[in-house]
């Protein structure tokens, strides 16, 4: 019997052909800047790409993010070496930054938090929300969206810039949490 629930197909040569994998990504906001952010339940911390942080810092200095301070000055921390899924995936950090991040379901439903991010050079995503923060937000992932239950928000998710599907219908007088 085929394993339909994981969408695998057996090729003639006897090899499994796996569907394309993906990370859950959703837009968050740093001031006026919309950032397609990776929500990574396997990531040990929130992280920001060094080059992206430099762009944000410059944008803040020039007023492009808005009138408020969204990106605090960097702070040093104890140097930490980290490993990834394989032994060849490794990096380290010795700086963190506090950033004000807004999670917006729509114009009427949003929540803003100050989050700490480790700064990583050559991080594959501009911004990563890691497992500890996802747990504190009560994150539940589903096809096409993720729920931030403790903030009472639902965010659409994207793969390669396209939506993964419609948001669930939530009656106006009913909470999703």
């Amino acid at each position: 019997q085929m394993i339909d629930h994981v969408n695998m197909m057996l090729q003639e040569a006897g090899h499994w052909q796996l569907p394309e994998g993906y990370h859950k990504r959703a837009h968050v906001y740093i001031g006026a800047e919309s950032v397609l952010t990776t929500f990574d339940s396997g990531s040990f911390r929130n992280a920001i790409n060094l080059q992206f942080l430099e762009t944000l810092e410059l944008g803040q200095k020039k007023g492009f993010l808005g009138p408020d301070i969204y990106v605090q000055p960097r702070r040093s921390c104890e140097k930490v070496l980290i490993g990834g899924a394989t032994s060849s995936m490794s990096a380290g950090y010795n700086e963190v930054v506090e950033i004000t991040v807004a999670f917006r379901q729509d114009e009427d439903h949003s929540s803003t938090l100050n989050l700490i991010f480790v700064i990583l050079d050559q991080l594959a995503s501009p911004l990563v929300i890691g497992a500890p923060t996802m747990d504190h937000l009560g994150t539940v992932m589903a096809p096409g969206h993720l729920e931030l239950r403790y903030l009472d928000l639902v965010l659409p998710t994207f793969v390669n810039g396209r939506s993964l599907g419609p948001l669930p219908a939530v009656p106006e007088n009913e909470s999703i949490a």
Side-chain angles (χ1 to χ4, degrees):
Q1 182 179 16
M2 287 298 288
I3 308 172
D4 290 333
H5 67 279
V6 291
N7 297 320
M8 295 182 183
M9 299 185 320
L10 186 61
Q11 293 182 338
E12 288 181 24
H15 296 281
W16 287 103
Q17 180 179 340
L18 301 174
E20 184 179 342
Y22 59 89
H23 289 288
K24 287 285 188 165
R25 291 189 170 95
H27 289 276
V28 301
Y29 297 84
I30 300 172
E33 183 74 22
S34 173
V35 182
L36 191 57
T37 300
T38 301
F39 285 73
D40 189 349
S41 62
S43 182
F44 73 115
R45 298 203 189 285
N46 300 330
I48 188 167
N49 175 291
L50 173 62
Q51 295 74 24
F52 179 66
L53 174 59
E54 290 169 347
T55 300
L56 285 176
E57 290 168 331
L58 181 61
Q60 180 167 276
K61 187 175 181 178
K62 292 185 174 189
F64 297 149
L65 299 181
D68 297 326
I69 302 297
Y70 300 95
V71 181
Q72 299 299 320
R74 300 178 196 187
R75 295 187 180 252
S76 62
C77 66
E78 181 179 341
K79 185 170 185 161
V80 177
L81 298 176
I82 55 175
T86 69
S87 59
S88 66
M89 295 178 174
S90 63
Y93 64 89
N94 62 359
E95 281 188 306
V96 297
V97 63
E98 181 180 344
I99 300 176
T100 302
V101 177
F103 300 90
R104 294 184 193 156
Q105 177 175 315
D106 55 41
E107 297 220 2
D108 298 323
H109 301 92
S110 67
S111 186
T112 302
L113 302 171
N114 291 338
L115 300 176
I116 302 294
F117 294 84
V118 300
I119 302 167
L120 294 174
D121 191 22
Q122 299 182 16
L123 183 65
S125 178
L127 209 60
V128 172
I129 302 294
T133 298
M134 291 176 65
D135 288 345
H136 286 291
L137 297 175
T139 305
V140 175
M141 295 187 182
H145 68 277
L146 57 88
E147 296 178 39
L148 307 177
R149 288 192 170 176
Y150 299 152
L151 300 179
D152 202 20
L153 298 173
V154 178
L155 305 178
T157 54
F158 299 84
V159 170
N160 298 326
R162 68 183 194 284
S163 174
L164 288 178
L167 291 177
V170 178
E172 284 187 33
N173 60 355
E174 184 177 324
S175 171
I176 59 167

